[in-house]
PDB file of all heavy atoms in Angstrom:
ATOM      1  N   GLU A 239     148.148  25.483 219.019  1.00  0.00           N
ATOM      2  CA  GLU A 239     146.841  25.611 219.671  1.00  0.00           C
ATOM      3  C   GLU A 239     146.812  24.843 220.994  1.00  0.00           C
ATOM      4  O   GLU A 239     146.344  25.368 222.018  1.00  0.00           O
ATOM      5  CB  GLU A 239     145.759  25.091 218.726  1.00  0.00           C
ATOM      6  CG  GLU A 239     144.344  25.222 219.280  1.00  0.00           C
ATOM      7  CD  GLU A 239     143.303  24.692 218.310  1.00  0.00           C
ATOM      8  OE1 GLU A 239     143.665  24.365 217.165  1.00  0.00           O
ATOM      9  OE2 GLU A 239     142.136  24.585 218.721  1.00  0.00           O
ATOM     10  N   GLU A 240     147.336  23.601 220.945  1.00  0.00           N
ATOM     11  CA  GLU A 240     147.383  22.810 222.181  1.00  0.00           C
ATOM     12  C   GLU A 240     148.308  23.450 223.203  1.00  0.00           C
ATOM     13  O   GLU A 240     148.035  23.416 224.404  1.00  0.00           O
ATOM     14  CB  GLU A 240     147.830  21.381 221.872  1.00  0.00           C
ATOM     15  CG  GLU A 240     146.812  20.543 221.133  1.00  0.00           C
ATOM     16  CD  GLU A 240     145.531  20.358 221.940  1.00  0.00           C
ATOM     17  OE1 GLU A 240     145.630  20.234 223.182  1.00  0.00           O
ATOM     18  OE2 GLU A 240     144.450  20.360 221.343  1.00  0.00           O
ATOM     19  N   GLN A 241     149.409  24.030 222.723  1.00  0.00           N
ATOM     20  CA  GLN A 241     150.341  24.697 223.627  1.00  0.00           C
ATOM     21  C   GLN A 241     149.681  25.895 224.288  1.00  0.00           C
ATOM     22  O   GLN A 241     149.852  26.135 225.496  1.00  0.00           O
ATOM     23  CB  GLN A 241     151.592  25.137 222.852  1.00  0.00           C
ATOM     24  CG  GLN A 241     152.692  25.749 223.718  1.00  0.00           C
ATOM     25  CD  GLN A 241     153.278  24.765 224.682  1.00  0.00           C
ATOM     26  OE1 GLN A 241     153.466  23.606 224.343  1.00  0.00           O
ATOM     27  NE2 GLN A 241     153.543  25.207 225.899  1.00  0.00           N
ATOM     28  N   LYS A 242     148.915  26.641 223.483  1.00  0.00           N
ATOM     29  CA  LYS A 242     148.191  27.781 224.056  1.00  0.00           C
ATOM     30  C   LYS A 242     147.169  27.309 225.087  1.00  0.00           C
ATOM     31  O   LYS A 242     147.024  27.914 226.154  1.00  0.00           O
ATOM     32  CB  LYS A 242     147.499  28.571 222.944  1.00  0.00           C
ATOM     33  CG  LYS A 242     148.449  29.355 222.055  1.00  0.00           C
ATOM     34  CD  LYS A 242     147.699  30.108 220.966  1.00  0.00           C
ATOM     35  CE  LYS A 242     148.654  30.878 220.057  1.00  0.00           C
ATOM     36  NZ  LYS A 242     147.925  31.581 218.968  1.00  0.00           N
ATOM     37  N   LYS A 243     146.466  26.216 224.715  1.00  0.00           N
ATOM     38  CA  LYS A 243     145.492  25.677 225.677  1.00  0.00           C
ATOM     39  C   LYS A 243     146.188  25.197 226.946  1.00  0.00           C
ATOM     40  O   LYS A 243     145.700  25.434 228.062  1.00  0.00           O
ATOM     41  CB  LYS A 243     144.714  24.526 225.043  1.00  0.00           C
ATOM     42  CG  LYS A 243     143.749  24.942 223.944  1.00  0.00           C
ATOM     43  CD  LYS A 243     142.996  23.740 223.397  1.00  0.00           C
ATOM     44  CE  LYS A 243     142.022  24.154 222.301  1.00  0.00           C
ATOM     45  NZ  LYS A 243     141.302  22.977 221.741  1.00  0.00           N
ATOM     46  N   GLN A 244     147.342  24.537 226.753  1.00  0.00           N
ATOM     47  CA  GLN A 244     148.079  24.046 227.916  1.00  0.00           C
ATOM     48  C   GLN A 244     148.585  25.207 228.753  1.00  0.00           C
ATOM     49  O   GLN A 244     148.512  25.173 229.996  1.00  0.00           O
ATOM     50  CB  GLN A 244     149.240  23.170 227.451  1.00  0.00           C
ATOM     51  CG  GLN A 244     150.009  22.482 228.569  1.00  0.00           C
ATOM     52  CD  GLN A 244     149.188  21.437 229.275  1.00  0.00           C
ATOM     53  OE1 GLN A 244     148.188  20.976 228.755  1.00  0.00           O
ATOM     54  NE2 GLN A 244     149.582  21.089 230.485  1.00  0.00           N
ATOM     55  N   ASP A 245     149.114  26.233 228.079  1.00  0.00           N
ATOM     56  CA  ASP A 245     149.568  27.430 228.810  1.00  0.00           C
ATOM     57  C   ASP A 245     148.409  28.078 229.555  1.00  0.00           C
ATOM     58  O   ASP A 245     148.573  28.530 230.698  1.00  0.00           O
ATOM     59  CB  ASP A 245     150.199  28.430 227.841  1.00  0.00           C
ATOM     60  CG  ASP A 245     151.511  27.921 227.249  1.00  0.00           C
ATOM     61  OD1 ASP A 245     152.076  26.983 227.830  1.00  0.00           O
ATOM     62  OD2 ASP A 245     151.938  28.457 226.214  1.00  0.00           O
ATOM     63  N   GLU A 246     147.243  28.119 228.889  1.00  0.00           N
ATOM     64  CA  GLU A 246     146.071  28.711 229.542  1.00  0.00           C
ATOM     65  C   GLU A 246     145.638  27.871 230.734  1.00  0.00           C
ATOM     66  O   GLU A 246     145.270  28.403 231.789  1.00  0.00           O
ATOM     67  CB  GLU A 246     144.917  28.833 228.520  1.00  0.00           C
ATOM     68  CG  GLU A 246     143.629  29.393 229.092  1.00  0.00           C
ATOM     69  CD  GLU A 246     143.769  30.798 229.640  1.00  0.00           C
ATOM     70  OE1 GLU A 246     144.699  31.523 229.220  1.00  0.00           O
ATOM     71  OE2 GLU A 246     142.953  31.186 230.494  1.00  0.00           O
ATOM     72  N   ARG A 247     145.688  26.520 230.551  1.00  0.00           N
ATOM     73  CA  ARG A 247     145.336  25.654 231.682  1.00  0.00           C
ATOM     74  C   ARG A 247     146.318  25.833 232.833  1.00  0.00           C
ATOM     75  O   ARG A 247     145.911  25.886 234.008  1.00  0.00           O
ATOM     76  CB  ARG A 247     145.317  24.192 231.223  1.00  0.00           C
ATOM     77  CG  ARG A 247     144.072  23.810 230.437  1.00  0.00           C
ATOM     78  CD  ARG A 247     143.970  22.299 230.291  1.00  0.00           C
ATOM     79  NE  ARG A 247     144.972  21.781 229.371  1.00  0.00           N
ATOM     80  CZ  ARG A 247     144.772  21.580 228.093  1.00  0.00           C
ATOM     81  NH1 ARG A 247     143.597  21.858 227.550  1.00  0.00           N
ATOM     82  NH2 ARG A 247     145.724  21.089 227.317  1.00  0.00           N
ATOM     83  N   ILE A 248     147.608  25.929 232.485  1.00  0.00           N
ATOM     84  CA  ILE A 248     148.615  26.130 233.537  1.00  0.00           C
ATOM     85  C   ILE A 248     148.390  27.476 234.219  1.00  0.00           C
ATOM     86  O   ILE A 248     148.463  27.578 235.457  1.00  0.00           O
ATOM     87  CB  ILE A 248     150.030  26.044 232.934  1.00  0.00           C
ATOM     88  CG1 ILE A 248     150.313  24.617 232.452  1.00  0.00           C
ATOM     89  CG2 ILE A 248     151.077  26.488 233.946  1.00  0.00           C
ATOM     90  CD1 ILE A 248     151.616  24.469 231.702  1.00  0.00           C
ATOM     91  N   ARG A 249     148.104  28.515 233.398  1.00  0.00           N
ATOM     92  CA  ARG A 249     147.849  29.828 233.987  1.00  0.00           C
ATOM     93  C   ARG A 249     146.611  29.795 234.893  1.00  0.00           C
ATOM     94  O   ARG A 249     146.607  30.355 235.996  1.00  0.00           O
ATOM     95  CB  ARG A 249     147.644  30.864 232.867  1.00  0.00           C
ATOM     96  CG  ARG A 249     147.564  32.304 233.355  1.00  0.00           C
ATOM     97  CD  ARG A 249     146.916  33.197 232.332  1.00  0.00           C
ATOM     98  NE  ARG A 249     145.533  32.842 232.124  1.00  0.00           N
ATOM     99  CZ  ARG A 249     144.553  33.174 232.955  1.00  0.00           C
ATOM    100  NH1 ARG A 249     144.789  33.873 234.041  1.00  0.00           N
ATOM    101  NH2 ARG A 249     143.309  32.819 232.681  1.00  0.00           N
ATOM    102  N   GLN A 250     145.571  29.092 234.410  1.00  0.00           N
ATOM    103  CA  GLN A 250     144.344  29.002 235.190  1.00  0.00           C
ATOM    104  C   GLN A 250     144.584  28.243 236.494  1.00  0.00           C
ATOM    105  O   GLN A 250     144.111  28.661 237.567  1.00  0.00           O
ATOM    106  CB  GLN A 250     143.255  28.295 234.362  1.00  0.00           C
ATOM    107  CG  GLN A 250     141.887  28.246 235.029  1.00  0.00           C
ATOM    108  CD  GLN A 250     141.266  29.610 235.185  1.00  0.00           C
ATOM    109  OE1 GLN A 250     141.599  30.541 234.450  1.00  0.00           O
ATOM    110  NE2 GLN A 250     140.376  29.751 236.148  1.00  0.00           N
ATOM    111  N   ARG A 251     145.324  27.093 236.389  1.00  0.00           N
ATOM    112  CA  ARG A 251     145.594  26.328 237.612  1.00  0.00           C
ATOM    113  C   ARG A 251     146.456  27.145 238.579  1.00  0.00           C
ATOM    114  O   ARG A 251     146.222  27.114 239.799  1.00  0.00           O
ATOM    115  CB  ARG A 251     146.315  25.021 237.259  1.00  0.00           C
ATOM    116  CG  ARG A 251     145.535  24.054 236.400  1.00  0.00           C
ATOM    117  CD  ARG A 251     144.308  23.468 237.082  1.00  0.00           C
ATOM    118  NE  ARG A 251     143.134  24.292 236.903  1.00  0.00           N
ATOM    119  CZ  ARG A 251     142.401  24.300 235.812  1.00  0.00           C
ATOM    120  NH1 ARG A 251     142.698  23.530 234.794  1.00  0.00           N
ATOM    121  NH2 ARG A 251     141.331  25.064 235.731  1.00  0.00           N
ATOM    122  N   THR A 252     147.450  27.865 238.028  1.00  0.00           N
ATOM    123  CA  THR A 252     148.292  28.709 238.882  1.00  0.00           C
ATOM    124  C   THR A 252     147.458  29.791 239.555  1.00  0.00           C
ATOM    125  O   THR A 252     147.627  30.079 240.752  1.00  0.00           O
ATOM    126  CB  THR A 252     149.408  29.353 238.046  1.00  0.00           C
ATOM    127  OG1 THR A 252     150.160  28.331 237.388  1.00  0.00           O
ATOM    128  CG2 THR A 252     150.338  30.169 238.925  1.00  0.00           C
ATOM    129  N   HIS A 253     146.539  30.381 238.772  1.00  0.00           N
ATOM    130  CA  HIS A 253     145.654  31.404 239.337  1.00  0.00           C
ATOM    131  C   HIS A 253     144.766  30.813 240.428  1.00  0.00           C
ATOM    132  O   HIS A 253     144.552  31.446 241.478  1.00  0.00           O
ATOM    133  CB  HIS A 253     144.797  31.994 238.209  1.00  0.00           C
ATOM    134  CG  HIS A 253     143.899  33.107 238.648  1.00  0.00           C
ATOM    135  ND1 HIS A 253     144.362  34.317 239.134  1.00  0.00           N
ATOM    136  CD2 HIS A 253     142.528  33.196 238.682  1.00  0.00           C
ATOM    137  CE1 HIS A 253     143.346  35.088 239.445  1.00  0.00           C
ATOM    138  NE2 HIS A 253     142.233  34.430 239.196  1.00  0.00           N
ATOM    139  N   GLU A 254     144.264  29.606 240.179  1.00  0.00           N
ATOM    140  CA  GLU A 254     143.405  28.963 241.182  1.00  0.00           C
ATOM    141  C   GLU A 254     144.186  28.639 242.453  1.00  0.00           C
ATOM    142  O   GLU A 254     143.665  28.807 243.562  1.00  0.00           O
ATOM    143  CB  GLU A 254     142.789  27.702 240.591  1.00  0.00           C
ATOM    144  CG  GLU A 254     141.737  27.976 239.520  1.00  0.00           C
ATOM    145  CD  GLU A 254     141.412  26.744 238.696  1.00  0.00           C
ATOM    146  OE1 GLU A 254     142.057  25.686 238.943  1.00  0.00           O
ATOM    147  OE2 GLU A 254     140.530  26.819 237.825  1.00  0.00           O
ATOM    148  N   ILE A 255     145.440  28.178 242.274  1.00  0.00           N
ATOM    149  CA  ILE A 255     146.271  27.888 243.444  1.00  0.00           C
ATOM    150  C   ILE A 255     146.534  29.158 244.241  1.00  0.00           C
ATOM    151  O   ILE A 255     146.475  29.161 245.482  1.00  0.00           O
ATOM    152  CB  ILE A 255     147.594  27.235 242.998  1.00  0.00           C
ATOM    153  CG1 ILE A 255     147.323  25.830 242.440  1.00  0.00           C
ATOM    154  CG2 ILE A 255     148.581  27.161 244.152  1.00  0.00           C
ATOM    155  CD1 ILE A 255     148.526  25.197 241.783  1.00  0.00           C
ATOM    156  N   GLU A 256     146.802  30.250 243.524  1.00  0.00           N
ATOM    157  CA  GLU A 256     147.028  31.527 244.197  1.00  0.00           C
ATOM    158  C   GLU A 256     145.766  31.981 244.932  1.00  0.00           C
ATOM    159  O   GLU A 256     145.829  32.478 246.071  1.00  0.00           O
ATOM    160  CB  GLU A 256     147.469  32.577 243.180  1.00  0.00           C
ATOM    161  CG  GLU A 256     147.698  33.969 243.769  1.00  0.00           C
ATOM    162  CD  GLU A 256     148.799  34.015 244.802  1.00  0.00           C
ATOM    163  OE1 GLU A 256     149.692  33.135 244.774  1.00  0.00           O
ATOM    164  OE2 GLU A 256     148.755  34.916 245.663  1.00  0.00           O
ATOM    165  N   LEU A 257     144.609  31.798 244.284  1.00  0.00           N
ATOM    166  CA  LEU A 257     143.351  32.167 244.943  1.00  0.00           C
ATOM    167  C   LEU A 257     143.111  31.308 246.183  1.00  0.00           C
ATOM    168  O   LEU A 257     142.639  31.813 247.219  1.00  0.00           O
ATOM    169  CB  LEU A 257     142.184  32.018 243.966  1.00  0.00           C
ATOM    170  CG  LEU A 257     142.070  33.087 242.872  1.00  0.00           C
ATOM    171  CD1 LEU A 257     140.969  32.726 241.885  1.00  0.00           C
ATOM    172  CD2 LEU A 257     141.789  34.462 243.477  1.00  0.00           C
ATOM    173  N   MET A 258     143.419  30.010 246.075  1.00  0.00           N
ATOM    174  CA  MET A 258     143.286  29.127 247.243  1.00  0.00           C
ATOM    175  C   MET A 258     144.193  29.604 248.369  1.00  0.00           C
ATOM    176  O   MET A 258     143.793  29.623 249.548  1.00  0.00           O
ATOM    177  CB  MET A 258     143.650  27.693 246.851  1.00  0.00           C
ATOM    178  CG  MET A 258     142.651  27.015 245.944  1.00  0.00           C
ATOM    179  SD  MET A 258     141.132  26.558 246.809  1.00  0.00           S
ATOM    180  CE  MET A 258     140.345  25.615 245.504  1.00  0.00           C
ATOM    181  N   HIS A 259     145.413  29.975 248.000  1.00  0.00           N
ATOM    182  CA  HIS A 259     146.365  30.472 248.999  1.00  0.00           C
ATOM    183  C   HIS A 259     145.844  31.759 249.639  1.00  0.00           C
ATOM    184  O   HIS A 259     145.903  31.913 250.880  1.00  0.00           O
ATOM    185  CB  HIS A 259     147.708  30.713 248.317  1.00  0.00           C
ATOM    186  CG  HIS A 259     148.785  31.179 249.247  1.00  0.00           C
ATOM    187  ND1 HIS A 259     149.321  30.382 250.226  1.00  0.00           N
ATOM    188  CD2 HIS A 259     149.419  32.383 249.347  1.00  0.00           C
ATOM    189  CE1 HIS A 259     150.244  31.062 250.897  1.00  0.00           C
ATOM    190  NE2 HIS A 259     150.322  32.273 250.376  1.00  0.00           N
ATOM    191  N   ARG A 260     145.320  32.659 248.813  1.00  0.00           N
ATOM    192  CA  ARG A 260     144.768  33.900 249.352  1.00  0.00           C
ATOM    193  C   ARG A 260     143.572  33.611 250.260  1.00  0.00           C
ATOM    194  O   ARG A 260     143.424  34.228 251.330  1.00  0.00           O
ATOM    195  CB  ARG A 260     144.319  34.810 248.201  1.00  0.00           C
ATOM    196  CG  ARG A 260     145.450  35.300 247.316  1.00  0.00           C
ATOM    197  CD  ARG A 260     146.252  36.397 247.977  1.00  0.00           C
ATOM    198  NE  ARG A 260     147.305  36.875 247.097  1.00  0.00           N
ATOM    199  CZ  ARG A 260     147.169  37.888 246.244  1.00  0.00           C
ATOM    200  NH1 ARG A 260     146.003  38.489 246.152  1.00  0.00           N
ATOM    201  NH2 ARG A 260     148.188  38.267 245.494  1.00  0.00           N
ATOM    202  N   LEU A 261     142.709  32.678 249.812  1.00  0.00           N
ATOM    203  CA  LEU A 261     141.533  32.331 250.612  1.00  0.00           C
ATOM    204  C   LEU A 261     141.950  31.809 251.980  1.00  0.00           C
ATOM    205  O   LEU A 261     141.399  32.230 253.017  1.00  0.00           O
ATOM    206  CB  LEU A 261     140.701  31.285 249.870  1.00  0.00           C
ATOM    207  CG  LEU A 261     139.476  30.734 250.620  1.00  0.00           C
ATOM    208  CD1 LEU A 261     138.432  31.823 250.820  1.00  0.00           C
ATOM    209  CD2 LEU A 261     138.871  29.558 249.858  1.00  0.00           C
ATOM    210  N   ALA A 262     142.917  30.884 252.003  1.00  0.00           N
ATOM    211  CA  ALA A 262     143.372  30.316 253.270  1.00  0.00           C
ATOM    212  C   ALA A 262     143.974  31.392 254.170  1.00  0.00           C
ATOM    213  O   ALA A 262     143.684  31.446 255.376  1.00  0.00           O
ATOM    214  CB  ALA A 262     144.386  29.201 253.009  1.00  0.00           C
ATOM    215  N   ASN A 263     144.812  32.265 253.582  1.00  0.00           N
ATOM    216  CA  ASN A 263     145.450  33.317 254.385  1.00  0.00           C
ATOM    217  C   ASN A 263     144.431  34.312 254.929  1.00  0.00           C
ATOM    218  O   ASN A 263     144.493  34.711 256.099  1.00  0.00           O
ATOM    219  CB  ASN A 263     146.490  34.049 253.548  1.00  0.00           C
ATOM    220  CG  ASN A 263     147.738  33.225 253.329  1.00  0.00           C
ATOM    221  OD1 ASN A 263     147.976  32.246 254.032  1.00  0.00           O
ATOM    222  ND2 ASN A 263     148.542  33.592 252.343  1.00  0.00           N
ATOM    223  N   MET A 264     143.483  34.715 254.058  1.00  0.00           N
ATOM    224  CA  MET A 264     142.495  35.706 254.496  1.00  0.00           C
ATOM    225  C   MET A 264     141.559  35.124 255.557  1.00  0.00           C
ATOM    226  O   MET A 264     141.207  35.796 256.526  1.00  0.00           O
ATOM    227  CB  MET A 264     141.689  36.210 253.298  1.00  0.00           C
ATOM    228  CG  MET A 264     142.504  36.985 252.287  1.00  0.00           C
ATOM    229  SD  MET A 264     143.343  38.419 252.976  1.00  0.00           S
ATOM    230  CE  MET A 264     141.940  39.454 253.423  1.00  0.00           C
ATOM    231  N   LEU A 265     141.145  33.867 255.369  1.00  0.00           N
ATOM    232  CA  LEU A 265     140.279  33.247 256.381  1.00  0.00           C
ATOM    233  C   LEU A 265     141.014  33.080 257.703  1.00  0.00           C
ATOM    234  O   LEU A 265     140.410  33.222 258.774  1.00  0.00           O
ATOM    235  CB  LEU A 265     139.779  31.897 255.874  1.00  0.00           C
ATOM    236  CG  LEU A 265     138.716  31.937 254.767  1.00  0.00           C
ATOM    237  CD1 LEU A 265     138.409  30.528 254.281  1.00  0.00           C
ATOM    238  CD2 LEU A 265     137.428  32.613 255.254  1.00  0.00           C
ATOM    239  N   ALA A 266     142.308  32.767 257.623  1.00  0.00           N
ATOM    240  CA  ALA A 266     143.087  32.617 258.858  1.00  0.00           C
ATOM    241  C   ALA A 266     143.223  33.939 259.599  1.00  0.00           C
ATOM    242  O   ALA A 266     143.378  33.959 260.827  1.00  0.00           O
ATOM    243  CB  ALA A 266     144.471  32.052 258.534  1.00  0.00           C
ATOM    244  N   ALA A 267     143.129  35.054 258.855  1.00  0.00           N
ATOM    245  CA  ALA A 267     143.262  36.375 259.480  1.00  0.00           C
ATOM    246  C   ALA A 267     141.923  36.938 259.954  1.00  0.00           C
ATOM    247  O   ALA A 267     141.884  38.018 260.539  1.00  0.00           O
ATOM    248  CB  ALA A 267     143.909  37.353 258.496  1.00  0.00           C
ATOM    249  N   CYS A 268     140.824  36.220 259.688  1.00  0.00           N
ATOM    250  CA  CYS A 268     139.495  36.718 260.082  1.00  0.00           C
ATOM    251  C   CYS A 268     139.334  36.712 261.596  1.00  0.00           C
ATOM    252  O   CYS A 268     139.862  35.842 262.299  1.00  0.00           O
ATOM    253  CB  CYS A 268     138.392  35.847 259.468  1.00  0.00           C
ATOM    254  SG  CYS A 268     138.143  36.134 257.729  1.00  0.00           S
ATOM    255  N   ASN A 269     138.547  37.680 262.079  1.00  0.00           N
ATOM    256  CA  ASN A 269     138.210  37.727 263.497  1.00  0.00           C
ATOM    257  C   ASN A 269     136.792  37.271 263.777  1.00  0.00           C
ATOM    258  O   ASN A 269     136.459  36.932 264.911  1.00  0.00           O
ATOM    259  CB  ASN A 269     138.391  39.150 264.046  1.00  0.00           C
ATOM    260  CG  ASN A 269     139.849  39.554 264.114  1.00  0.00           C
ATOM    261  OD1 ASN A 269     140.710  38.731 264.413  1.00  0.00           O
ATOM    262  ND2 ASN A 269     140.132  40.819 263.828  1.00  0.00           N
ATOM    263  N   ASN A 270     135.924  37.291 262.749  1.00  0.00           N
ATOM    264  CA  ASN A 270     134.530  36.906 262.959  1.00  0.00           C
ATOM    265  C   ASN A 270     133.918  36.471 261.636  1.00  0.00           C
ATOM    266  O   ASN A 270     134.543  36.568 260.575  1.00  0.00           O
ATOM    267  CB  ASN A 270     133.733  38.070 263.575  1.00  0.00           C
ATOM    268  CG  ASN A 270     133.953  39.373 262.813  1.00  0.00           C
ATOM    269  OD1 ASN A 270     133.718  39.445 261.607  1.00  0.00           O
ATOM    270  ND2 ASN A 270     134.441  40.392 263.514  1.00  0.00           N
ATOM    271  N   MET A 271     132.666  36.013 261.716  1.00  0.00           N
ATOM    272  CA  MET A 271     131.969  35.514 260.534  1.00  0.00           C
ATOM    273  C   MET A 271     131.634  36.626 259.549  1.00  0.00           C
ATOM    274  O   MET A 271     131.484  36.380 258.358  1.00  0.00           O
ATOM    275  CB  MET A 271     130.679  34.794 260.950  1.00  0.00           C
ATOM    276  CG  MET A 271     130.909  33.414 261.514  1.00  0.00           C
ATOM    277  SD  MET A 271     131.526  32.304 260.236  1.00  0.00           S
ATOM    278  CE  MET A 271     131.805  30.835 261.228  1.00  0.00           C
ATOM    279  N   VAL A 272     131.495  37.838 260.022  1.00  0.00           N
ATOM    280  CA  VAL A 272     131.201  38.961 259.128  1.00  0.00           C
ATOM    281  C   VAL A 272     132.357  39.153 258.155  1.00  0.00           C
ATOM    282  O   VAL A 272     132.161  39.308 256.941  1.00  0.00           O
ATOM    283  CB  VAL A 272     130.938  40.248 259.939  1.00  0.00           C
ATOM    284  CG1 VAL A 272     130.736  41.433 259.001  1.00  0.00           C
ATOM    285  CG2 VAL A 272     129.715  40.068 260.828  1.00  0.00           C
ATOM    286  N   GLU A 273     133.576  39.101 258.672  1.00  0.00           N
ATOM    287  CA  GLU A 273     134.741  39.235 257.798  1.00  0.00           C
ATOM    288  C   GLU A 273     134.866  38.013 256.878  1.00  0.00           C
ATOM    289  O   GLU A 273     135.215  38.149 255.703  1.00  0.00           O
ATOM    290  CB  GLU A 273     136.001  39.389 258.646  1.00  0.00           C
ATOM    291  CG  GLU A 273     136.057  40.690 259.421  1.00  0.00           C
ATOM    292  CD  GLU A 273     137.310  40.820 260.258  1.00  0.00           C
ATOM    293  OE1 GLU A 273     138.040  39.827 260.396  1.00  0.00           O
ATOM    294  OE2 GLU A 273     137.568  41.924 260.775  1.00  0.00           O
ATOM    295  N   ALA A 274     134.559  36.835 257.419  1.00  0.00           N
ATOM    296  CA  ALA A 274     134.611  35.626 256.587  1.00  0.00           C
ATOM    297  C   ALA A 274     133.608  35.714 255.443  1.00  0.00           C
ATOM    298  O   ALA A 274     133.883  35.270 254.323  1.00  0.00           O
ATOM    299  CB  ALA A 274     134.337  34.390 257.444  1.00  0.00           C
ATOM    300  N   GLN A 275     132.422  36.273 255.695  1.00  0.00           N
ATOM    301  CA  GLN A 275     131.414  36.437 254.655  1.00  0.00           C
ATOM    302  C   GLN A 275     131.928  37.337 253.531  1.00  0.00           C
ATOM    303  O   GLN A 275     131.737  37.050 252.344  1.00  0.00           O
ATOM    304  CB  GLN A 275     130.141  37.024 255.267  1.00  0.00           C
ATOM    305  CG  GLN A 275     129.068  37.421 254.270  1.00  0.00           C
ATOM    306  CD  GLN A 275     128.536  36.230 253.497  1.00  0.00           C
ATOM    307  OE1 GLN A 275     128.117  35.257 254.080  1.00  0.00           O
ATOM    308  NE2 GLN A 275     128.545  36.311 252.171  1.00  0.00           N
ATOM    309  N   LYS A 276     132.597  38.417 253.893  1.00  0.00           N
ATOM    310  CA  LYS A 276     133.151  39.312 252.873  1.00  0.00           C
ATOM    311  C   LYS A 276     134.199  38.596 252.025  1.00  0.00           C
ATOM    312  O   LYS A 276     134.257  38.776 250.808  1.00  0.00           O
ATOM    313  CB  LYS A 276     133.766  40.539 253.541  1.00  0.00           C
ATOM    314  CG  LYS A 276     132.754  41.453 254.232  1.00  0.00           C
ATOM    315  CD  LYS A 276     133.457  42.632 254.871  1.00  0.00           C
ATOM    316  CE  LYS A 276     132.460  43.555 255.570  1.00  0.00           C
ATOM    317  NZ  LYS A 276     133.134  44.695 256.229  1.00  0.00           N
ATOM    318  N   ILE A 277     135.000  37.784 252.665  1.00  0.00           N
ATOM    319  CA  ILE A 277     136.084  37.097 251.952  1.00  0.00           C
ATOM    320  C   ILE A 277     135.526  36.073 250.980  1.00  0.00           C
ATOM    321  O   ILE A 277     135.910  36.023 249.800  1.00  0.00           O
ATOM    322  CB  ILE A 277     137.047  36.450 252.962  1.00  0.00           C
ATOM    323  CG1 ILE A 277     137.813  37.547 253.712  1.00  0.00           C
ATOM    324  CG2 ILE A 277     138.019  35.511 252.253  1.00  0.00           C
ATOM    325  CD1 ILE A 277     138.592  37.037 254.887  1.00  0.00           C
ATOM    326  N   VAL A 278     134.610  35.217 251.449  1.00  0.00           N
ATOM    327  CA  VAL A 278     134.076  34.180 250.550  1.00  0.00           C
ATOM    328  C   VAL A 278     133.252  34.802 249.432  1.00  0.00           C
ATOM    329  O   VAL A 278     133.235  34.298 248.304  1.00  0.00           O
ATOM    330  CB  VAL A 278     133.246  33.134 251.335  1.00  0.00           C
ATOM    331  CG1 VAL A 278     134.095  32.443 252.372  1.00  0.00           C
ATOM    332  CG2 VAL A 278     132.019  33.744 251.968  1.00  0.00           C
ATOM    333  N   SER A 279     132.558  35.902 249.706  1.00  0.00           N
ATOM    334  CA  SER A 279     131.776  36.560 248.656  1.00  0.00           C
ATOM    335  C   SER A 279     132.667  37.123 247.564  1.00  0.00           C
ATOM    336  O   SER A 279     132.262  37.212 246.401  1.00  0.00           O
ATOM    337  CB  SER A 279     130.928  37.691 249.256  1.00  0.00           C
ATOM    338  OG  SER A 279     129.996  37.181 250.183  1.00  0.00           O
TER     339      SER A 279
END
């Protein structure tokens, strides 16, 4: 059970890191606030 929880936590943290990476990349590619609004939403 703890291993599953740990695996889930690792999966969740990995997913969050990937989302952070996507957020940074997408915001860096934005040209205006309208596009930034779509990304953060």
Side-chain angles (χ1 to χ4, degrees):
E239 182 180 352
E240 289 298 324
Q241 185 65 39
K242 289 180 181 178
K243 290 181 180 179
Q244 186 67 19
D245 292 342
E246 178 61 23
R247 283 193 289 266
I248 293 173
R249 188 199 65 78
Q250 185 66 24
R251 297 294 88 80
T252 304
H253 183 64
E254 290 165 357
I255 292 171
E256 178 62 24
L257 286 173
M258 290 287 187
H259 182 68
R260 295 284 182 91
L261 176 66
N263 286 343
M264 295 302 294
L265 287 175
C268 285
N269 290 324
N270 49 57
M271 283 293 176
V272 176
E273 293 180 349
Q275 172 63 54
K276 293 180 180 179
I277 291 170
V278 300
S279 297

